[in-house]
């Protein structure tokens, strides 16, 4: 064995410790208890430890790390929403993704290849003009392109000239992109645990001890933990977990299904989405074509897949790119999405003084993993909701100040 | 293919139906504060368990009620809206 290697083998740097330590014993108390070890909870933990010096933090995850919707999403990252409040927030999210690999010292494979959303009707074109103007006003790269523009951006598309689904134009969002979902969660987890955050896998929150307007302790399958502040970031389980604390959120759960094809040579260089076909496609860096995202048409707590939805997605994909018809599907799956009435998240305070919400992420929350974690950490550290989050408060439903992003969400996620 | 038994048309592919979500009690418009209106509009039943929901058979435009389990997706019973219901 070469001497240099032997020296390294005997040195203190060897063996390299794992990025994410094994689950430790639970302590009796933590300053902050984060419920949910998905991207959002881990991002908040990282920001608390790194930027606010709060290290007595436990992330409680009932299953394995980031095995919820973080593991199931189709990784669309974008800020081409329609409300100014929404665009401002998601824009900050995209900017954080642009620097994320450096921030985490971990390759999250962010690829800012742009997103092309297609219009097959004049009504959709009109809504695109509105979104483009709002986007430009808010400083994002969002513009309407005509048929020629669509063909240039995505030459392999079936334009269906003269057909019932002729592509009339598109919304081109050069800021849009994708990243490796697992890497985002692992990167945050590694950074957070390096700074002392404890990540407890297989630790399920089963109830709360509420005294007056505060949560005194969190009850888990591994024992009771006293807590300073508590954050709920449990993805599809947000309604259930908040209800355990007596907080009823305006959320309904629907399964969202997606699938991927076998790996192909690189041919799809942008994210493509069709509003009318309710289908979107992105080619992963491995070459697989990820096809999403069909919401089941009724409420359900289930992650089963259905043939109906797979047929629907396959039909949309083959319509847009007819040469995909012989391609095999590799995997299919579903996640339970926590849908809000206005397709915007619920972030900020709850009716309990030390319980904070990072909920209602529905079908669109992966792109917000960095920014929601950053801003929720700031909220918890300061005990005060920053301006950028105020519009997303739970009270907006009581004051009828909804943030309607349905049209800018339905087919694009 | 999942079947739903329509009280009027019998068992049909669930594709022929549209869900209108859980039944909600209608508030009294003369005695309801904003907060209760907001509840009525934005909070639908979402607890794990059985819900009573409005469904419509699209081709015949017939609205009826169904009891369905939100976890197992079992449709327990369907009935005309004029029939008495145990829940909700
Ligand atoms: C098929 C699909 C496609 C999607 N596509 C996109 C997309 O393209 N772009 C986009 O931006 N978003 C997308 N989303 C949405 C996105 O995945 C989610 O909004 C986001 O991942 C939410 O992250 P999270 O960390 O809040 O939740 P999760 O990743 O779900 O993490 C929550 C964690 O909480 C844990 N938990 C639950 N209950 C408890 C409990 N009682 N105690 C302890 N832990 C608990 C769960 O096990 C889970 O690991 C998609 C979702 C799905 C299902």
């Amino acid at each position: 064995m070469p001497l240099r290697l032997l020296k390294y083998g005997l040195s203190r740097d060897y063996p390299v410790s794992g990025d994410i330590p094994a689950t430790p014993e639970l302590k009796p108390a933590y300053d902050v208890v984060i419920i949910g070890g998905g991207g959002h909870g881990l991002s908040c933990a990282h920001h608390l430890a790194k930027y606010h010096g709060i290290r007595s933090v436990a992330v409680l995850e009932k299953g394995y790390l980031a095995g919820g919707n973080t593991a199931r999403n189709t990784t669309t990252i974008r800020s081409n929403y329609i409300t100014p409040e929404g665009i401002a927030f998601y824009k900050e999210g995209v900017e954080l993704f642009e620097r994320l690999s450096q921030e985490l010292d971990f390759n999250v494979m962010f690829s800012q290849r742009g997103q092309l959303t297609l219009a097959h009707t004049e009504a959709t074109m009109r809504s695109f003009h509105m979104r483009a103007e709002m986007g430009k006003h808010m400083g994002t790269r969002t513009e309407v392109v005509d048929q020629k523009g669509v063909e240039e951006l995505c030459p392999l598309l079936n334009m269906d000239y003269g057909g019932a689904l002729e592509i009339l134009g598109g919304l081109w969002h050069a800021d849009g992109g994708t990243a490796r979902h697992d890497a985002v969660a692992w990167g945050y987890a590694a950074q957070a645990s390096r700074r002392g955050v404890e990540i407890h896998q297989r630790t399920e929150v089963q109830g709360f001890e509420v005294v007056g307007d505060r949560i005194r302790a969190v009850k888990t399958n591994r024992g009771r933990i006293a807590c300073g502040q508590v954050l709920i970031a449990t993805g599809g389980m947000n309604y259930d977990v908040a209800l355990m604390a007596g907080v009823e959120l305006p959320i309904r759960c629907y399964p969202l299904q997606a699938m991927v094809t076998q790996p192909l040579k690189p041919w799809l260089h942008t994210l493509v989405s069709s509003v009318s076909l309710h289908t979107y496609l992105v080619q992963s860096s491995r070459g697989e074509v990820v096809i999403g995202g069909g919401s089941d048409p009724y409420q359900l707590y289930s992650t089963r897949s259905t043939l109906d939805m797979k047929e629907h997605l396959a039909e949309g994909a083959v319509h847009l790119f007819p040469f995909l018809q012989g391609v095999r599907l590799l995997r299919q799956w579903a996640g339970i999405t926590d849908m809000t009435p206005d397709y915007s998240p619920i972030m900020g305070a709850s009716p309990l003084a030390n319980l904070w919400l990072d909920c209602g992420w529905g079908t669109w929350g992966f792109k917000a993993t960095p920014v929601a974690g950053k801003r929720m950490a700031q909220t918890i550290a300061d005990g005060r909701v920053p301006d950028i989050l105020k519009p997303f408060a739970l009270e907006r439903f009581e004051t009828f100040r909804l943030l309607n992003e349905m049209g800018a969400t339905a087919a694009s996620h | 293919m999942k079947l739903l038994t329509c009280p009027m048309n019998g068992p049909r592919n669930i594709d022929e139906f549209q869900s209108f979500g859980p039944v909600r009690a209608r508030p009294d418009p003369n005695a309801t504060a904003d907060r209760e209106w907001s509840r009525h509009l934005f909070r639908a039943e979402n607890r794990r368990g059985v819900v009573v929901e409005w469904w419509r058979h699209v081709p015949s435009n017939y609205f009826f009620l169904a009891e369905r389990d939100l976890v197992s997706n079992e449709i327990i019973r369907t009935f005309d809206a004029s029939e008495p219901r145990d829940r909700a």
Side-chain angles (χ1 to χ4, degrees), chain A residues 62 236-237 239-240 243 248-253 297-302 304 308 336 341 394 396-400 402, chain B residues 2 14-15 19-22 24 34-35 37-39 41-48 53 55 68-73:
Chain A
K62 76 169 178 188
M237 298 304 111
Y239 177 87
D240 293 43
L243 201 61
E248 196 189 343
L249 297 175
I251 281 177
R252 295 163 76 178
C253 291
Y298 47 86
Q299 278 167 261
L300 192 63
Y301 280 94
S302 168
R304 56 97 176 88
D308 293 359
I336 298 172
L394 176 59
R396 73 176 182 272
F397 298 100
E398 273 169 29
T399 51
F400 300 92
L402 269 61
Chain B
K2 189 173 171 66
I14 200 162
D15 270 9
S19 162
F20 281 81
R24 313 173 196 208
D34 281 3
R35 186 182 263 262
W37 273 118
S38 146
R39 250 196 90 78
L41 289 171
F42 303 125
R43 289 182 208 205
E45 187 54 77
N46 191 49
R47 281 169 219 253
R48 289 163 186 273
E53 295 171 307
W55 284 78
R68 188 172 61 90
D69 188 315
L70 285 189
V71 179
S72 68
N73 202 16

Side-chain angles (χ1 to χ4, degrees), chain A residues 35-41 60-64 67-70 72-76 203-205 233-237 241 256-258 280 333 335 337 361-367 413:
Chain A
I35 311 173
H40 280 243
L60 310 181
E61 165 54 51
K62 76 169 178 188
Y64 58 91
N69 286 350
T70 298
R72 296 158 203 266
N73 82 91
T74 49
T75 69
T76 302
T203 307
E204 179 174 359
V205 171
T234 47
M237 298 304 111
V241 175
L256 178 68
Q257 304 189 31
Y280 59 86
W333 66 90
T337 57
W361 282 108
T363 62
W364 57 85
F366 172 69
K367 66 181 70 62
H413 299 288

Side-chain angles (χ1 to χ4, degrees), chain A residues 88-338:
Chain A
F89 177 79
Y90 291 110
K91 174 173 182 265
E92 185 169 301
V94 171
E95 286 161 4
L96 289 174
F97 262 109
E98 288 167 359
R99 313 190 286 272
L100 196 57
S101 292
Q102 303 305 323
E103 164 78 9
L104 298 181
D105 192 20
F106 203 92
N107 189 359
V108 301
M109 298 166 81
F110 179 57
S111 156
Q112 201 162 30
R113 59 182 79 164
Q115 185 202 35
L116 177 64
T117 313
L118 306 169
H120 309 266
T121 68
E122 288 296 342
T124 309
M125 281 305 280
R126 278 197 295 279
S127 77
F128 283 0
H129 280 288
M130 243 166 88
R131 281 168 69 185
E133 292 314 310
M134 284 310 288
K136 281 180 217 163
H137 175 68
M138 299 299 295
T140 66
R141 291 183 289 166
T142 312
E143 61 183 304
V144 173
V145 290
D146 60 10
Q147 291 179 317
K148 194 163 156 282
V150 170
E151 283 185 326
E152 276 165 17
L153 285 163
C154 194
L156 294 173
L157 256 177
N158 164 28
M159 297 296 289
D160 201 22
Y161 285 118
L165 284 167
E166 178 169 338
I167 295 169
L168 303 181
L171 186 67
W172 173 239
H173 180 45
D175 294 327
T178 138
R180 183 162 176 224
H181 49 332
D182 293 328
V184 171
W186 296 336
Y188 278 124
Q191 285 290 324
S193 38
R194 203 166 299 162
R195 292 190 174 81
V197 169
E198 290 180 8
I199 298 169
H200 294 268
Q201 303 188 52
R202 294 180 181 274
T203 307
E204 179 174 359
V205 171
Q206 297 173 330
F208 296 97
E209 274 177 43
V210 180
V211 180
D213 71 342
R214 294 185 71 83
I215 294 184
R216 186 167 60 185
V218 177
K219 292 185 267 185
T220 79
N221 59 333
R222 293 173 61 222
R224 171 190 185 273
I225 317 168
C227 52
Q229 310 289 319
V230 181
L231 176 74
I232 300 182
T234 47
M237 298 304 111
N238 282 327
Y239 177 87
D240 293 43
V241 175
L243 201 61
M244 290 182 208
V247 178
E248 196 189 343
L249 297 175
I251 281 177
R252 295 163 76 178
C253 291
Y254 292 83
L256 178 68
Q257 304 189 31
M259 59 193 197
V260 311
T261 69
Q262 67 188 104
L264 306 171
K265 69 186 176 196
W267 59 272
L268 183 58
H269 305 294
T270 66
L271 288 85
V272 170
S273 158
S274 158
V275 178
S276 304
L277 292 167
H278 278 275
T279 307
Y280 59 86
L281 300 94
V282 55
Q283 189 170 23
S284 77
S285 38
R286 266 197 302 251
E288 298 167 350
V289 182
V290 183
I291 306 172
S295 286
D296 279 57
Y298 47 86
Q299 278 167 261
L300 192 63
Y301 280 94
S302 168
T303 52
R304 56 97 176 88
S305 290
T306 62
L307 181 61
D308 293 359
M309 201 54 78
K310 300 295 121 97
E311 278 178 355
H312 161 82
L313 292 176
E315 186 192 349
V318 169
H319 180 86
L320 295 172
F321 301 104
F323 56 87
L324 279 180
Q325 59 192 7
V327 169
R328 289 174 179 78
L329 289 182
L330 270 196
R331 294 186 301 279
Q332 51 166 346
W333 66 90
I336 298 172
T337 57
D338 48 330

